[in-house]
Amino acid sequence: MPELPEVEITKRSISKHILGKKIKSLKILNPKLRYNLNYESLNLFKNQTIKKINRRSKYILIFFDNENVLLVHLGMTGRFYFLNGDRKIDTSFYSNNKIIKSHDHLKITFEGFSLIYNDIRKFGFIRRLTISNIKFSKHINKLGYEPLTKEFNFEYLKQKIYNKSSPIKNLLMNQSIVAGLGNIYANEALFMGKIRPNKKGNKLKDYEIKTLVKSINKIIKNAIDAGGSTIKNYHNSEGRSGSYQSNFKVYDRENRKCLRLGCNGKIRRQVSSGRSIFFCFKCQR
Ligand SMILES: [Zn+2]
């Protein structure tokens, strides 16, 4: 599932092609997504020019030269790809990336090329917002601060977790606490911070919370710099693979040796709240 770094990379790769461009037409190829695509509301974007593209948490917000905003969530397997012309796929984007056309949902056509939204598992969505109602959107209005912002700091994280008895990893994945973090990067940040994923939020010491803020920022920054992680179904919009997965220290490394210098522990996997936690029993406390 794409997390903050993968969504950021997707935003950057689509921005390169569509920023400042005018939409000529929109065609729904399969309306079934988390919320069904709605022709009437999507058609309002016809002949509109894209002014700005932002990311907030795991959402991409595409702003137009009027009130309209497209809110995109990639769900588990959503992605964009470009068609150069009507039928011909520019394969240079997809050298190692198989696209199953029957999972295409929306085709947005610009002058000379199209942008297709494809989603195998259909948990993603694309909906219309307006500039004035963004702040009331249920997707946006409860989001916490983002890693790599000055608001995301020790005081903020402490205030969010000091009285919570849930496992710290669940708290980190709660989008109203840390926006954009998911299972992979939460596991990795906890390893970097030497904190066990199932430790309760209210048991963390101040120094651990400080370390955790630093670790989250570092992991997220490094992952963005590496182009995200290539995980199961994720590739960026140019079909290029991110490379951060080669830096995973715990995620998907069950039974393998701990990579922390001087630690001879093994990575354990447990299931907690339906998600895998990966940690070293020896150096994460
Ligand atoms: Zn270890």
Side-chain angles (χ1 to χ4, degrees), residues 191 257-267 279-284:
F191 174 80
K257 195 183 165 304
C258 175
L259 292 173
R260 198 184 310 277
L261 208 62
C263 180
N264 59 4
K266 255 188 188 178
I267 304 307
F279 62 99
C280 174
F281 195 73
K282 204 158 182 186
C283 64
Q284 285 177 263

mmCIF file of all heavy atoms in Angstrom, residues 191 257-267 279-284, ligand 1:
data_model
loop_
_atom_site.group_PDB
_atom_site.id
_atom_site.type_symbol
_atom_site.label_atom_id
_atom_site.label_comp_id
_atom_site.label_asym_id
_atom_site.label_seq_id
_atom_site.Cartn_x
_atom_site.Cartn_y
_atom_site.Cartn_z
ATOM 1 N N PHE A 191 12.138 0.608 14.476
ATOM 2 C CA PHE A 191 13.431 -0.077 14.554
ATOM 3 C C PHE A 191 14.547 0.942 14.722
ATOM 4 O O PHE A 191 15.399 0.817 15.606
ATOM 5 C CB PHE A 191 13.679 -0.927 13.298
ATOM 6 C CG PHE A 191 15.060 -1.540 13.282
ATOM 7 C CD1 PHE A 191 15.342 -2.677 14.019
ATOM 8 C CD2 PHE A 191 16.099 -0.954 12.550
ATOM 9 C CE1 PHE A 191 16.621 -3.227 14.038
ATOM 10 C CE2 PHE A 191 17.370 -1.495 12.563
ATOM 11 C CZ PHE A 191 17.642 -2.630 13.304
ATOM 12 N N LYS A 257 18.758 -11.939 10.220
ATOM 13 C CA LYS A 257 19.617 -11.347 11.233
ATOM 14 C C LYS A 257 19.350 -9.846 11.356
ATOM 15 O O LYS A 257 19.171 -9.154 10.362
ATOM 16 C CB LYS A 257 21.076 -11.591 10.806
ATOM 17 C CG LYS A 257 22.083 -11.366 11.888
ATOM 18 C CD LYS A 257 23.494 -11.563 11.342
ATOM 19 C CE LYS A 257 24.531 -10.989 12.297
ATOM 20 N NZ LYS A 257 24.345 -9.576 12.634
ATOM 21 N N CYS A 258 19.364 -9.372 12.594
ATOM 22 C CA CYS A 258 19.200 -7.935 12.818
ATOM 23 C C CYS A 258 20.374 -7.188 12.189
ATOM 24 O O CYS A 258 21.530 -7.607 12.315
ATOM 25 C CB CYS A 258 19.141 -7.653 14.319
ATOM 26 S SG CYS A 258 19.085 -5.879 14.689
ATOM 27 N N LEU A 259 20.067 -6.089 11.519
ATOM 28 C CA LEU A 259 21.119 -5.358 10.801
ATOM 29 C C LEU A 259 21.763 -4.260 11.642
ATOM 30 O O LEU A 259 22.627 -3.534 11.162
ATOM 31 C CB LEU A 259 20.548 -4.755 9.517
ATOM 32 C CG LEU A 259 20.154 -5.785 8.445
ATOM 33 C CD1 LEU A 259 19.433 -5.113 7.285
ATOM 34 C CD2 LEU A 259 21.381 -6.545 7.941
ATOM 35 N N ARG A 260 21.333 -4.155 12.914
ATOM 36 C CA ARG A 260 21.963 -3.118 13.730
ATOM 37 C C ARG A 260 23.375 -3.560 14.126
ATOM 38 O O ARG A 260 23.582 -4.694 14.556
ATOM 39 C CB ARG A 260 21.140 -2.823 14.992
ATOM 40 C CG ARG A 260 21.525 -1.478 15.607
ATOM 41 C CD ARG A 260 20.794 -1.200 16.899
ATOM 42 N NE ARG A 260 19.354 -1.388 16.847
ATOM 43 C CZ ARG A 260 18.485 -0.485 16.394
ATOM 44 N NH1 ARG A 260 18.893 0.679 15.951
ATOM 45 N NH2 ARG A 260 17.195 -0.756 16.403
ATOM 46 N N LEU A 261 24.275 -2.648 13.953
ATOM 47 C CA LEU A 261 25.669 -2.931 14.255
ATOM 48 C C LEU A 261 25.799 -3.382 15.718
ATOM 49 O O LEU A 261 25.301 -2.722 16.620
ATOM 50 C CB LEU A 261 26.488 -1.650 14.029
ATOM 51 C CG LEU A 261 27.950 -1.845 13.654
ATOM 52 C CD1 LEU A 261 28.070 -2.590 12.323
ATOM 53 C CD2 LEU A 261 28.642 -0.487 13.574
ATOM 54 N N GLY A 262 26.432 -4.519 15.928
ATOM 55 C CA GLY A 262 26.648 -4.993 17.292
ATOM 56 C C GLY A 262 25.496 -5.796 17.869
ATOM 57 O O GLY A 262 25.591 -6.290 18.981
ATOM 58 N N CYS A 263 24.403 -5.937 17.137
ATOM 59 C CA CYS A 263 23.270 -6.740 17.636
ATOM 60 C C CYS A 263 23.275 -8.078 16.915
ATOM 61 O O CYS A 263 23.424 -8.129 15.705
ATOM 62 C CB CYS A 263 21.945 -6.024 17.391
ATOM 63 S SG CYS A 263 20.521 -6.980 17.986
ATOM 64 N N ASN A 264 23.115 -9.152 17.681
ATOM 65 C CA ASN A 264 23.056 -10.462 17.027
ATOM 66 C C ASN A 264 21.656 -11.064 17.096
ATOM 67 O O ASN A 264 21.472 -12.264 17.020
ATOM 68 C CB ASN A 264 24.112 -11.409 17.602
ATOM 69 C CG ASN A 264 23.911 -11.611 19.106
ATOM 70 O OD1 ASN A 264 22.936 -11.087 19.678
ATOM 71 N ND2 ASN A 264 24.790 -12.368 19.743
ATOM 72 N N GLY A 265 20.651 -10.197 17.281
ATOM 73 C CA GLY A 265 19.264 -10.664 17.341
ATOM 74 C C GLY A 265 18.726 -11.054 15.972
ATOM 75 O O GLY A 265 19.394 -10.897 14.953
ATOM 76 N N LYS A 266 17.503 -11.591 15.986
ATOM 77 C CA LYS A 266 16.814 -11.969 14.749
ATOM 78 C C LYS A 266 15.519 -11.174 14.659
ATOM 79 O O LYS A 266 14.908 -10.856 15.670
ATOM 80 C CB LYS A 266 16.442 -13.455 14.810
ATOM 81 C CG LYS A 266 17.292 -14.351 13.968
ATOM 82 C CD LYS A 266 16.674 -15.736 13.994
ATOM 83 C CE LYS A 266 17.588 -16.756 13.315
ATOM 84 N NZ LYS A 266 16.978 -18.095 13.390
ATOM 85 N N ILE A 267 15.103 -10.888 13.441
ATOM 86 C CA ILE A 267 13.857 -10.127 13.273
ATOM 87 C C ILE A 267 12.660 -11.057 13.459
ATOM 88 O O ILE A 267 12.600 -12.137 12.876
ATOM 89 C CB ILE A 267 13.796 -9.474 11.867
ATOM 90 C CG1 ILE A 267 15.023 -8.586 11.622
ATOM 91 C CG2 ILE A 267 12.498 -8.677 11.689
ATOM 92 C CD1 ILE A 267 15.285 -7.538 12.687
ATOM 93 N N PHE A 279 10.159 -6.687 14.220
ATOM 94 C CA PHE A 279 11.057 -6.019 15.184
ATOM 95 C C PHE A 279 12.134 -6.978 15.640
ATOM 96 O O PHE A 279 12.018 -8.187 15.519
ATOM 97 C CB PHE A 279 10.263 -5.499 16.384
ATOM 98 C CG PHE A 279 9.585 -6.590 17.177
ATOM 99 C CD1 PHE A 279 10.172 -7.073 18.341
ATOM 100 C CD2 PHE A 279 8.376 -7.116 16.752
ATOM 101 C CE1 PHE A 279 9.546 -8.095 19.061
ATOM 102 C CE2 PHE A 279 7.750 -8.129 17.472
ATOM 103 C CZ PHE A 279 8.337 -8.607 18.633
ATOM 104 N N CYS A 280 13.189 -6.396 16.190
ATOM 105 C CA CYS A 280 14.248 -7.195 16.797
ATOM 106 C C CYS A 280 13.973 -7.243 18.300
ATOM 107 O O CYS A 280 13.892 -6.203 18.953
ATOM 108 C CB CYS A 280 15.617 -6.573 16.512
ATOM 109 S SG CYS A 280 16.935 -7.434 17.402
ATOM 110 N N PHE A 281 13.816 -8.450 18.801
ATOM 111 C CA PHE A 281 13.472 -8.656 20.204
ATOM 112 C C PHE A 281 14.618 -8.199 21.110
ATOM 113 O O PHE A 281 14.424 -7.866 22.266
ATOM 114 C CB PHE A 281 13.213 -10.151 20.413
ATOM 115 C CG PHE A 281 12.517 -10.453 21.698
ATOM 116 C CD1 PHE A 281 11.169 -10.151 21.854
ATOM 117 C CD2 PHE A 281 13.198 -11.038 22.760
ATOM 118 C CE1 PHE A 281 10.514 -10.438 23.043
ATOM 119 C CE2 PHE A 281 12.549 -11.334 23.959
ATOM 120 C CZ PHE A 281 11.203 -11.017 24.089
ATOM 121 N N LYS A 282 15.805 -8.173 20.547
ATOM 122 C CA LYS A 282 16.972 -7.869 21.361
ATOM 123 C C LYS A 282 17.248 -6.371 21.500
ATOM 124 O O LYS A 282 17.473 -5.888 22.597
ATOM 125 C CB LYS A 282 18.186 -8.565 20.737
ATOM 126 C CG LYS A 282 19.277 -8.823 21.735
ATOM 127 C CD LYS A 282 20.174 -9.936 21.280
ATOM 128 C CE LYS A 282 21.214 -10.176 22.341
ATOM 129 N NZ LYS A 282 22.207 -11.159 21.909
ATOM 130 N N CYS A 283 17.216 -5.637 20.407
ATOM 131 C CA CYS A 283 17.625 -4.229 20.503
ATOM 132 C C CYS A 283 16.473 -3.239 20.511
ATOM 133 O O CYS A 283 16.677 -2.052 20.698
ATOM 134 C CB CYS A 283 18.635 -3.893 19.402
ATOM 135 S SG CYS A 283 18.003 -4.017 17.740
ATOM 136 N N GLN A 284 15.242 -3.732 20.321
ATOM 137 C CA GLN A 284 14.091 -2.810 20.421
ATOM 138 C C GLN A 284 13.375 -3.085 21.733
ATOM 139 O O GLN A 284 12.957 -4.221 21.984
ATOM 140 C CB GLN A 284 13.126 -3.002 19.242
ATOM 141 C CG GLN A 284 13.646 -2.421 17.941
ATOM 142 C CD GLN A 284 12.704 -2.698 16.777
ATOM 143 O OE1 GLN A 284 12.895 -3.644 16.021
ATOM 144 N NE2 GLN A 284 11.682 -1.873 16.619
HETATM 145 ZN ZN ZN B 1 18.693 -5.984 16.941
#
